[in-house]
Amino acid sequence: MRNTTLCYIEQNGAYLMLHRIKKEKDINHGKWIGVGGKFEPGETPEECLLREVREETGLTLLSYRLRGIITFVPDGETEYMFLYTASSYEGELIPCDEGDLAWIPKDEIWKLELWEGDREFFRLLDEDEGFFSMKLSYAGDVLTEVKTRVYSSER
């Protein structure tokens, strides 16, 4: 089991996206995703988020929000991903050794090469219904199951 973070930084109606094209043996090769990565030993989700964003973009997040927890069930190891959006940062973008960074207008994201499950959580980010938990099961690259629970302030 592994833990990761993923963040979509927002600016002027666009998300900062990473086109994963620089590493040969990359499960995300060719896909557009947010920035983030694996926890280091002893890290909290927030510490991982801040470190990964700084390493991959050069930006320091000033305001961010945990939007959901995604449970990925692939053919192999289960992954728990803490999904964030961020609305404020400081610093200047730097080149990323994992791919090319680009600001993508939110209404253009649907046209990109995404994981099918990412489309599921983008829908929830757009609807902004509240914190959510989602299970995404895959057989290879094929999404086989989606289970979602949105938590509101009411029980």
Side-chain angles (χ1 to χ4, degrees), residues 48-126:
C48 178
L49 166 73
L50 295 171
R51 177 184 53 76
E52 286 284 350
V53 168
R54 191 174 49 256
E55 288 174 3
E56 292 183 358
T57 69
L59 304 177
T60 300
L61 297 182
L62 302 175
S63 177
Y64 51 90
R65 179 176 155 204
L66 178 60
R67 304 295 295 276
I69 298 175
I70 315 295
T71 303
F72 286 104
V73 184
D75 295 330
E77 183 180 34
T78 298
E79 175 183 338
Y80 294 103
M81 183 184 75
F82 294 79
L83 178 65
Y84 291 86
T85 55
S87 57
S88 179
Y89 61 88
E90 62 184 11
E92 298 295 323
L93 280 179
I94 60 171
C96 180
D97 64 0
E98 296 182 10
D100 295 331
L101 294 165
W103 292 101
I104 307 295
K106 290 181 183 180
D107 60 350
E108 299 284 320
I109 288 171
W110 306 103
K111 300 174 186 175
L112 300 176
E113 186 176 346
L114 305 171
W115 286 101
E116 207 54 41
D118 291 14
R119 294 178 190 283
E120 297 291 329
F121 63 71
F122 269 121
R123 182 181 53 77
L124 293 176
L125 293 177
D126 285 347

Coordinates of all heavy atoms in Angstrom, one line a residue, residues 48-126:
C48 N 3.8 16.3 2.6 CA 4.1 15.7 1.3 C 3.6 16.7 0.2 O 4.4 16.9 -0.8 CB 3.4 14.4 1.2 SG 3.6 13.5 -0.4
L49 N 2.4 17.2 0.3 CA 1.9 18.1 -0.7 C 2.8 19.3 -0.9 O 3.2 19.6 -2.0 CB 0.5 18.6 -0.2 CG 0.0 19.8 -0.9 CD1 -0.5 19.4 -2.3 CD2 -1.1 20.5 -0.1
L50 N 3.2 20.0 0.2 CA 4.0 21.2 0.1 C 5.4 20.8 -0.5 O 5.9 21.6 -1.4 CB 4.2 21.8 1.4 CG 2.9 22.4 2.0 CD1 3.1 22.8 3.5 CD2 2.3 23.5 1.2
R51 N 6.0 19.7 -0.1 CA 7.3 19.3 -0.6 C 7.2 19.0 -2.1 O 8.0 19.5 -2.9 CB 7.9 18.1 0.1 CG 9.2 17.6 -0.4 CD 9.7 16.4 0.3 NE 8.7 15.3 0.4 CZ 8.4 14.5 -0.7 NH1 9.0 14.7 -1.8 NH2 7.5 13.6 -0.5
E52 N 6.3 18.2 -2.5 CA 6.1 17.8 -3.9 C 5.8 18.9 -4.8 O 6.4 19.0 -5.9 CB 5.1 16.7 -4.0 CG 5.5 15.3 -3.5 CD 6.5 14.6 -4.4 OE1 6.7 15.0 -5.6 OE2 7.0 13.5 -4.0
V53 N 4.9 19.8 -4.4 CA 4.6 21.0 -5.2 C 5.9 21.9 -5.4 O 6.2 22.3 -6.5 CB 3.5 21.8 -4.6 CG1 3.3 23.2 -5.3 CG2 2.1 21.0 -4.8
R54 N 6.6 22.1 -4.3 CA 7.8 22.9 -4.4 C 8.9 22.2 -5.3 O 9.5 22.9 -6.2 CB 8.4 23.1 -3.0 CG 9.5 24.2 -3.0 CD 9.9 24.5 -1.5 NE 10.2 23.3 -0.7 CZ 9.4 22.8 0.2 NH1 8.2 23.4 0.5 NH2 9.7 21.7 0.9
E55 N 9.1 20.9 -5.2 CA 10.1 20.2 -6.0 C 9.7 20.2 -7.5 O 10.6 20.3 -8.3 CB 10.2 18.7 -5.5 CG 10.9 18.6 -4.2 CD 10.9 17.2 -3.7 OE1 10.4 16.2 -4.3 OE2 11.5 17.0 -2.5
E56 N 8.4 20.0 -7.8 CA 8.0 19.8 -9.2 C 7.7 21.2 -9.9 O 7.8 21.2 -11.1 CB 6.8 18.9 -9.3 CG 7.1 17.5 -8.9 CD 5.9 16.6 -9.0 OE1 4.8 17.0 -9.4 OE2 6.1 15.4 -8.8
T57 N 7.4 22.2 -9.1 CA 7.0 23.5 -9.8 C 7.8 24.7 -9.4 O 7.8 25.7 -10.0 CB 5.5 23.8 -9.4 OG1 5.4 24.1 -8.1 CG2 4.6 22.6 -9.8
G58 N 8.5 24.6 -8.2 CA 9.2 25.8 -7.7 C 8.3 26.7 -6.9 O 8.7 27.7 -6.3
L59 N 7.0 26.4 -6.8 CA 6.0 27.2 -6.1 C 5.8 26.8 -4.7 O 5.9 25.6 -4.3 CB 4.6 27.1 -6.8 CG 4.6 27.5 -8.3 CD1 3.2 27.3 -8.9 CD2 5.1 28.9 -8.5
T60 N 5.5 27.8 -3.8 CA 5.2 27.5 -2.4 C 3.7 27.8 -2.2 O 3.3 29.0 -2.5 CB 6.0 28.4 -1.5 OG1 7.4 28.1 -1.7 CG2 5.7 28.2 0.0
L61 N 3.0 26.8 -1.8 CA 1.5 27.0 -1.7 C 1.2 27.8 -0.4 O 1.8 27.6 0.6 CB 0.8 25.7 -1.5 CG 0.9 24.8 -2.7 CD1 0.1 23.5 -2.5 CD2 0.4 25.5 -4.0
L62 N 0.3 28.8 -0.5 CA -0.1 29.6 0.6 C -1.5 29.3 1.1 O -1.8 29.5 2.2 CB 0.0 31.1 0.2 CG 1.3 31.6 -0.3 CD1 1.2 33.1 -0.8 CD2 2.4 31.5 0.8
S63 N -2.3 28.8 0.1 CA -3.7 28.4 0.5 C -4.0 27.2 -0.3 O -3.9 27.2 -1.6 CB -4.6 29.6 0.1 OG -6.0 29.2 0.3
Y64 N -4.5 26.1 0.4 CA -4.8 24.9 -0.3 C -5.9 24.2 0.5 O -6.2 24.5 1.7 CB -3.6 24.0 -0.4 CG -2.9 23.8 0.9 CD1 -3.2 22.7 1.7 CD2 -1.8 24.6 1.2 CE1 -2.5 22.5 2.9 CE2 -1.1 24.4 2.4 CZ -1.4 23.4 3.2 OH -0.8 23.2 4.4
R65 N -6.6 23.3 -0.2 CA -7.8 22.6 0.4 C -7.8 21.1 0.1 O -7.7 20.8 -1.1 CB -9.0 23.3 -0.1 CG -10.3 22.8 0.4 CD -11.4 23.7 -0.2 NE -12.7 22.9 -0.3 CZ -13.7 23.2 -1.1 NH1 -13.6 24.2 -1.9 NH2 -14.8 22.4 -1.1
L66 N -7.9 20.3 1.1 CA -8.1 18.9 0.8 C -9.5 18.6 0.3 O -10.5 18.9 1.0 CB -7.9 18.1 2.1 CG -8.0 16.6 2.0 CD1 -7.1 15.9 1.0 CD2 -7.8 15.9 3.4
R67 N -9.6 18.1 -0.9 CA -10.9 17.9 -1.5 C -11.5 16.5 -1.4 O -12.7 16.3 -1.4 CB -10.8 18.3 -3.0 CG -10.3 19.7 -3.2 CD -11.2 20.8 -2.7 NE -12.5 20.8 -3.4 CZ -12.7 21.5 -4.6 NH1 -11.8 22.2 -5.1 NH2 -13.9 21.4 -5.1
G68 N -10.5 15.5 -1.4 CA -11.0 14.2 -1.3 C -9.9 13.2 -1.1 O -8.7 13.5 -1.2
I69 N -10.3 12.0 -0.8 CA -9.3 10.8 -0.7 C -9.7 9.8 -1.8 O -10.9 9.4 -1.8 CB -9.3 10.2 0.7 CG1 -8.8 11.3 1.7 CG2 -8.4 9.0 0.7 CD1 -8.9 10.8 3.1
I70 N -8.8 9.5 -2.6 CA -9.0 8.5 -3.7 C -8.3 7.2 -3.4 O -7.1 7.2 -3.1 CB -8.5 9.0 -5.1 CG1 -8.8 10.5 -5.3 CG2 -8.9 8.1 -6.2 CD1 -10.3 10.8 -5.5
T71 N -9.1 6.1 -3.4 CA -8.5 4.8 -3.3 C -8.4 4.2 -4.7 O -9.4 3.9 -5.3 CB -9.3 3.9 -2.4 OG1 -9.5 4.5 -1.1 CG2 -8.7 2.5 -2.2
F72 N -7.1 4.0 -5.1 CA -6.9 3.3 -6.4 C -6.6 1.9 -6.2 O -5.8 1.5 -5.3 CB -5.6 3.9 -7.1 CG -5.8 5.3 -7.7 CD1 -5.3 6.4 -7.0 CD2 -6.5 5.5 -8.9 CE1 -5.5 7.6 -7.6 CE2 -6.7 6.7 -9.4 CZ -6.2 7.8 -8.7
V73 N -7.4 1.0 -6.9 CA -7.2 -0.4 -6.8 C -6.8 -0.9 -8.2 O -7.7 -1.2 -9.0 CB -8.4 -1.1 -6.3 CG1 -8.2 -2.6 -6.1 CG2 -8.9 -0.5 -5.0
P74 N -5.5 -0.9 -8.5 CA -5.0 -1.4 -9.8 C -4.8 -2.9 -9.7 O -5.2 -3.5 -8.7 CB -3.7 -0.7 -9.9 CG -3.2 -0.5 -8.5 CD -4.4 -0.4 -7.7
D75 N -4.2 -3.4 -10.7 CA -3.8 -4.9 -10.7 C -2.8 -5.2 -9.6 O -2.8 -6.3 -9.1 CB -3.2 -5.3 -12.0 CG -4.2 -5.1 -13.2 OD1 -5.4 -5.3 -12.9 OD2 -3.7 -4.9 -14.3
G76 N -2.1 -4.2 -9.2 CA -1.0 -4.4 -8.1 C -1.4 -3.8 -6.8 O -2.4 -4.0 -6.3
E77 N -0.5 -2.9 -6.4 CA -0.6 -2.3 -5.0 C -1.6 -1.2 -4.9 O -1.7 -0.4 -5.8 CB 0.8 -1.7 -4.7 CG 1.0 -1.1 -3.4 CD 2.4 -0.5 -3.2 OE1 3.0 0.0 -4.2 OE2 2.8 -0.5 -2.0
T78 N -2.4 -1.3 -3.8 CA -3.4 -0.3 -3.6 C -2.8 1.1 -3.2 O -1.7 1.1 -2.5 CB -4.4 -0.7 -2.4 OG1 -5.0 -1.9 -2.8 CG2 -5.4 0.3 -2.1
E79 N -3.3 2.2 -3.7 CA -2.8 3.5 -3.4 C -3.9 4.4 -2.8 O -5.0 4.4 -3.3 CB -2.3 4.1 -4.7 CG -1.8 5.5 -4.6 CD -1.4 6.1 -5.9 OE1 -1.0 5.4 -6.9 OE2 -1.4 7.4 -6.0
Y80 N -3.5 5.1 -1.8 CA -4.4 6.1 -1.2 C -3.8 7.5 -1.6 O -2.7 7.8 -1.3 CB -4.5 6.0 0.3 CG -5.2 4.7 0.7 CD1 -4.4 3.7 1.2 CD2 -6.6 4.6 0.6 CE1 -5.0 2.5 1.6 CE2 -7.2 3.4 1.0 CZ -6.4 2.3 1.5 OH -7.0 1.2 1.9
M81 N -4.7 8.3 -2.3 CA -4.2 9.6 -2.8 C -5.0 10.7 -2.2 O -6.3 10.6 -2.2 CB -4.3 9.6 -4.3 CG -3.8 10.9 -4.9 SD -4.1 11.0 -6.7 CE -5.9 11.4 -6.7
F82 N -4.3 11.6 -1.6 CA -5.0 12.8 -1.0 C -5.0 13.9 -2.1 O -4.0 14.3 -2.5 CB -4.2 13.3 0.2 CG -4.2 12.3 1.4 CD1 -3.4 11.1 1.3 CD2 -5.1 12.4 2.4 CE1 -3.4 10.2 2.4 CE2 -5.1 11.5 3.5 CZ -4.3 10.4 3.4
L83 N -6.2 14.3 -2.5 CA -6.4 15.2 -3.6 C -6.7 16.6 -3.1 O -7.6 16.8 -2.3 CB -7.6 14.7 -4.4 CG -8.0 15.6 -5.6 CD1 -6.9 15.6 -6.7 CD2 -9.3 15.1 -6.2
Y84 N -5.9 17.5 -3.5 CA -5.9 18.9 -3.1 C -6.2 19.8 -4.3 O -5.8 19.5 -5.4 CB -4.6 19.4 -2.5 CG -4.3 18.7 -1.1 CD1 -3.7 17.5 -1.0 CD2 -4.6 19.4 0.1 CE1 -3.4 17.0 0.2 CE2 -4.3 18.9 1.3 CZ -3.7 17.6 1.4 OH -3.4 17.1 2.6
T85 N -6.8 21.0 -4.0 CA -6.7 22.1 -4.9 C -6.0 23.3 -4.1 O -6.1 23.3 -2.9 CB -8.1 22.6 -5.4 OG1 -8.9 22.8 -4.3 CG2 -8.7 21.5 -6.3
A86 N -5.4 24.2 -4.8 CA -4.7 25.3 -4.2 C -5.1 26.6 -5.0 O -5.2 26.5 -6.2 CB -3.2 25.1 -4.2
S87 N -5.3 27.6 -4.2 CA -5.7 28.9 -4.9 C -4.7 30.0 -4.7 O -4.9 31.1 -5.3 CB -7.1 29.3 -4.3 OG -7.0 29.4 -2.9
S88 N -3.7 29.8 -3.9 CA -2.7 30.9 -3.7 C -1.4 30.3 -3.5 O -1.2 29.3 -2.9 CB -3.1 31.7 -2.5 OG -2.2 32.7 -2.2
Y89 N -0.4 31.0 -4.1 CA 1.0 30.5 -4.1 C 1.9 31.7 -4.3 O 1.5 32.8 -4.7 CB 1.2 29.4 -5.1 CG 1.0 29.9 -6.5 CD1 2.1 30.5 -7.2 CD2 -0.2 29.8 -7.1 CE1 1.8 31.0 -8.5 CE2 -0.4 30.3 -8.4 CZ 0.6 30.9 -9.1 OH 0.4 31.4 -10.4
E90 N 3.2 31.4 -4.0 CA 4.3 32.4 -4.4 C 5.4 31.7 -5.0 O 5.6 30.5 -4.9 CB 4.7 33.1 -3.1 CG 5.4 32.3 -2.1 CD 5.8 33.1 -0.8 OE1 5.3 34.2 -0.6 OE2 6.5 32.5 0.0
G91 N 6.2 32.4 -5.8 CA 7.3 31.9 -6.5 C 7.1 31.9 -8.0 O 6.0 32.3 -8.5
E92 N 8.1 31.4 -8.7 CA 8.0 31.3 -10.2 C 8.2 29.8 -10.6 O 8.9 29.1 -10.0 CB 9.2 32.1 -10.8 CG 9.2 33.6 -10.5 CD 8.0 34.3 -11.1 OE1 7.6 33.9 -12.2 OE2 7.4 35.2 -10.4
L93 N 7.4 29.5 -11.6 CA 7.5 28.1 -12.2 C 8.9 27.8 -12.6 O 9.6 28.6 -13.2 CB 6.6 27.9 -13.3 CG 5.1 27.7 -13.0 CD1 4.3 27.5 -14.3 CD2 4.9 26.5 -12.2
I94 N 9.3 26.5 -12.3 CA 10.6 26.0 -12.8 C 10.3 24.8 -13.7 O 9.2 24.2 -13.6 CB 11.5 25.6 -11.6 CG1 10.8 24.5 -10.8 CG2 11.9 26.8 -10.7 CD1 11.7 23.8 -9.7
P95 N 11.3 24.4 -14.5 CA 11.1 23.2 -15.3 C 11.0 22.0 -14.4 O 11.6 21.9 -13.4 CB 12.3 23.1 -16.2 CG 12.9 24.5 -16.2 CD 12.5 25.1 -14.8
C96 N 10.1 21.0 -14.8 CA 9.9 19.8 -14.1 C 10.6 18.7 -14.8 O 10.4 18.5 -16.0 CB 8.4 19.6 -13.9 SG 8.0 18.1 -13.0
D97 N 11.3 17.8 -14.1 CA 12.0 16.7 -14.7 C 11.1 15.5 -15.0 O 11.5 14.5 -15.6 CB 13.2 16.2 -13.9 CG 12.8 15.7 -12.5 OD1 11.6 15.6 -12.2 OD2 13.7 15.3 -11.8
E98 N 9.8 15.6 -14.7 CA 8.9 14.5 -15.0 C 8.0 14.8 -16.2 O 7.3 13.9 -16.6 CB 8.0 14.3 -13.7 CG 8.8 13.8 -12.6 CD 8.0 13.5 -11.3 OE1 6.8 13.4 -11.4 OE2 8.6 13.2 -10.3
G99 N 8.0 16.1 -16.6 CA 7.1 16.4 -17.8 C 7.1 17.9 -18.0 O 7.8 18.7 -17.4
D100 N 6.1 18.4 -18.8 CA 5.9 19.8 -19.1 C 4.7 20.3 -18.3 O 3.6 19.7 -18.4 CB 5.7 20.0 -20.6 CG 6.9 19.6 -21.4 OD1 8.1 19.7 -20.9 OD2 6.8 19.2 -22.5
L101 N 4.9 21.4 -17.6 CA 3.9 22.1 -16.9 C 3.2 23.1 -17.8 O 3.8 23.8 -18.6 CB 4.5 22.9 -15.7 CG 5.1 22.0 -14.6 CD1 5.9 22.8 -13.6 CD2 4.0 21.3 -13.8
A102 N 1.8 23.2 -17.7 CA 1.1 24.1 -18.5 C -0.2 24.5 -17.7 O -0.8 23.6 -17.0 CB 0.7 23.5 -19.8
W103 N -0.6 25.8 -17.9 CA -1.9 26.2 -17.3 C -3.0 25.8 -18.4 O -3.0 26.3 -19.5 CB -1.9 27.7 -17.1 CG -1.0 28.1 -16.0 CD1 0.3 28.6 -16.1 CD2 -1.2 28.0 -14.6 NE1 0.8 28.8 -14.8 CE2 -0.1 28.5 -13.9 CE3 -2.3 27.5 -13.8 CZ2 0.0 28.5 -12.5 CZ3 -2.2 27.5 -12.4 CH2 -1.1 28.0 -11.8
I104 N -3.9 25.0 -18.0 CA -5.0 24.5 -18.9 C -6.3 25.0 -18.4 O -6.7 24.8 -17.2 CB -5.0 22.9 -18.9 CG1 -3.7 22.3 -19.2 CG2 -6.1 22.5 -19.8 CD1 -3.1 22.6 -20.5
P105 N -7.0 25.8 -19.2 CA -8.4 26.3 -18.8 C -9.2 25.1 -18.4 O -9.2 24.0 -19.1 CB -8.9 26.9 -20.1 CG -7.7 27.3 -20.9 CD -6.7 26.2 -20.6
K106 N -10.0 25.3 -17.4 CA -10.8 24.1 -16.8 C -11.7 23.5 -17.9 O -11.9 22.3 -17.9 CB -11.6 24.6 -15.6 CG -10.7 24.9 -14.4 CD -11.6 25.4 -13.2 CE -10.7 25.7 -12.1 NZ -11.5 26.2 -10.9
D107 N -12.3 24.3 -18.8 CA -13.2 23.7 -19.8 C -12.4 23.0 -20.9 O -13.0 22.3 -21.7 CB -14.1 24.8 -20.3 CG -13.4 25.9 -21.0 OD1 -12.2 26.0 -20.9 OD2 -14.1 26.7 -21.7
E108 N -11.1 23.1 -20.9 CA -10.3 22.4 -21.9 C -9.7 21.0 -21.4 O -9.3 20.2 -22.2 CB -9.1 23.2 -22.3 CG -9.5 24.6 -23.0 CD -10.0 24.4 -24.4 OE1 -9.4 23.6 -25.2 OE2 -11.0 25.0 -24.8
I109 N -9.8 20.8 -20.1 CA -9.2 19.6 -19.5 C -9.8 18.4 -20.0 O -9.1 17.4 -20.2 CB -9.3 19.7 -17.9 CG1 -8.4 20.8 -17.4 CG2 -9.1 18.4 -17.3 CD1 -8.5 21.1 -16.0
W110 N -11.1 18.4 -20.3 CA -11.8 17.2 -20.8 C -11.3 16.7 -22.1 O -11.5 15.5 -22.5 CB -13.3 17.5 -20.9 CG -13.9 18.0 -19.6 CD1 -14.2 19.3 -19.3 CD2 -14.1 17.3 -18.4 NE1 -14.6 19.4 -18.0 CE2 -14.6 18.2 -17.5 CE3 -14.0 15.9 -18.1 CZ2 -14.9 17.8 -16.2 CZ3 -14.3 15.5 -16.8 CH2 -14.8 16.4 -15.9
K111 N -10.6 17.5 -22.9 CA -10.0 17.2 -24.2 C -8.6 16.5 -24.1 O -8.1 16.0 -25.1 CB -9.9 18.4 -25.1 CG -11.2 19.1 -25.3 CD -11.0 20.4 -26.1 CE -12.3 21.2 -26.2 NZ -12.1 22.5 -26.9
L112 N -8.0 16.5 -22.9 CA -6.7 16.0 -22.7 C -6.7 14.5 -22.5 O -7.7 13.9 -22.2 CB -6.1 16.7 -21.5 CG -5.9 18.2 -21.5 CD1 -5.4 18.6 -20.1 CD2 -5.0 18.6 -22.6
E113 N -5.5 13.9 -22.7 CA -5.4 12.5 -22.4 C -5.2 12.3 -20.9 O -4.2 12.6 -20.3 CB -4.1 11.9 -23.1 CG -4.0 10.4 -22.9 CD -2.9 9.8 -23.7 OE1 -2.3 10.5 -24.6 OE2 -2.5 8.7 -23.4
L114 N -6.3 11.9 -20.3 CA -6.4 11.7 -18.8 C -6.7 10.3 -18.5 O -7.3 9.5 -19.3 CB -7.6 12.5 -18.2 CG -7.7 14.0 -18.5 CD1 -9.0 14.6 -18.1 CD2 -6.6 14.8 -17.8
W115 N -6.4 9.9 -17.3 CA -6.9 8.6 -16.8 C -8.4 8.7 -16.7 O -9.0 9.8 -16.4 CB -6.4 8.3 -15.4 CG -5.0 7.9 -15.4 CD1 -3.9 8.6 -15.0 CD2 -4.5 6.6 -15.7 NE1 -2.7 7.9 -15.1 CE2 -3.1 6.6 -15.5 CE3 -5.1 5.4 -16.1 CZ2 -2.3 5.5 -15.8 CZ3 -4.2 4.3 -16.3 CH2 -2.9 4.3 -16.1
E116 N -9.2 7.7 -17.0 CA -10.6 7.7 -17.0 C -11.1 8.1 -15.6 O -12.1 8.8 -15.5 CB -11.2 6.4 -17.5 CG -12.6 6.5 -18.1 CD -12.7 7.5 -19.2 OE1 -11.8 7.6 -20.1 OE2 -13.7 8.2 -19.2
G117 N -10.5 7.5 -14.6 CA -10.9 7.9 -13.2 C -10.7 9.3 -12.8 O -11.5 9.9 -12.0
D118 N -9.7 10.0 -13.4 CA -9.5 11.4 -13.2 C -10.7 12.2 -13.6 O -11.0 13.2 -13.0 CB -8.2 11.9 -13.9 CG -6.9 11.3 -13.3 OD1 -7.0 10.4 -12.5 OD2 -5.9 11.9 -13.6
R119 N -11.3 11.8 -14.7 CA -12.5 12.5 -15.2 C -13.6 12.4 -14.1 O -14.4 13.4 -14.0 CB -13.0 11.8 -16.5 CG -12.1 12.0 -17.6 CD -12.6 11.4 -18.9 NE -11.5 11.4 -19.9 CZ -11.1 12.4 -20.6 NH1 -11.8 13.6 -20.5 NH2 -10.2 12.3 -21.5
E120 N -13.7 11.3 -13.4 CA -14.7 11.2 -12.3 C -14.4 12.2 -11.2 O -15.4 12.8 -10.7 CB -14.6 9.8 -11.7 CG -15.0 8.7 -12.7 CD -16.5 8.7 -13.1 OE1 -17.3 9.1 -12.3 OE2 -16.8 8.3 -14.3
F121 N -13.2 12.4 -10.7 CA -13.0 13.3 -9.7 C -12.9 14.8 -10.2 O -13.3 15.7 -9.4 CB -11.8 13.0 -8.7 CG -10.4 12.9 -9.3 CD1 -9.8 14.1 -9.7 CD2 -9.8 11.7 -9.3 CE1 -8.5 14.0 -10.1 CE2 -8.4 11.6 -9.8 CZ -7.8 12.8 -10.2
F122 N -12.6 15.0 -11.4 CA -12.7 16.4 -12.0 C -14.2 16.8 -11.9 O -14.5 18.0 -11.7 CB -12.2 16.5 -13.4 CG -10.7 16.8 -13.5 CD1 -9.8 16.0 -14.1 CD2 -10.2 18.0 -12.9 CE1 -8.5 16.3 -14.1 CE2 -8.9 18.3 -13.0 CZ -8.0 17.5 -13.6
R123 N -15.1 15.9 -12.2 CA -16.5 16.3 -12.1 C -16.9 16.7 -10.7 O -17.6 17.7 -10.6 CB -17.3 15.0 -12.5 CG -18.8 15.3 -12.6 CD -19.6 14.0 -12.9 NE -19.3 12.9 -12.1 CZ -19.7 12.6 -10.9 NH1 -20.5 13.5 -10.3 NH2 -19.4 11.5 -10.3
L124 N -16.4 16.0 -9.7 CA -16.7 16.4 -8.3 C -16.0 17.8 -8.0 O -16.5 18.6 -7.2 CB -16.3 15.3 -7.4 CG -17.1 14.0 -7.5 CD1 -16.5 13.0 -6.5 CD2 -18.5 14.3 -7.2
L125 N -14.8 18.0 -8.5 CA -14.1 19.3 -8.2 C -14.9 20.4 -8.8 O -15.1 21.4 -8.2 CB -12.7 19.3 -8.8 CG -11.7 18.3 -8.1 CD1 -10.3 18.4 -8.9 CD2 -11.5 18.6 -6.7
D126 N -15.4 20.2 -10.1 CA -16.3 21.2 -10.7 C -17.5 21.5 -10.0 O -18.0 22.6 -9.8 CB -16.6 20.8 -12.1 CG -15.5 20.9 -13.1 OD1 -14.4 21.5 -12.8 OD2 -15.6 20.3 -14.2

